[in-house]
Amino acid sequence: MYHYELHQLAVGELLHRAEEQRTVRQAVLARRAARRSARRAGRDEAEGRVGGERGRFGRAA
């Protein structure tokens, strides 16, 4: 009986770990899809604005 209980604990742990990995993968895929759709729409809200108006300030002496 003891071996069966250990086996059931191991099976439960493996199922829990597999569910966690699926959840993480879904989150990663959702984030990628959001970035991709934002890029297609012409805006990239996940990243900050880089560049912009370069001639706005004069060069240092």
Side-chain angles (χ1 to χ4, degrees):
M1 191 66 167
Y2 181 71
H3 293 290
Y4 177 75
E5 290 172 357
L6 283 178
H7 175 71
Q8 289 297 80
L9 286 174
V11 167
E13 184 179 336
L14 288 173
L15 289 173
H16 182 68
R17 191 180 304 168
E19 181 63 30
E20 283 181 347
Q21 288 177 353
R22 275 193 294 272
T23 304
V24 168
R25 180 152 174 81
Q26 283 179 339
V28 168
L29 292 175
R31 185 173 178 179
R32 265 190 220 153
R35 280 187 183 168
R36 194 175 301 129
S37 67
R39 229 179 287 136
R40 283 189 196 138
R43 64 190 196 299
D44 195 3
E45 295 176 4
E47 300 292 330
R49 192 173 142 188
V50 178
E53 300 176 24
R54 277 219 178 255
R56 196 163 99 185
F57 298 105
R59 293 183 56 134

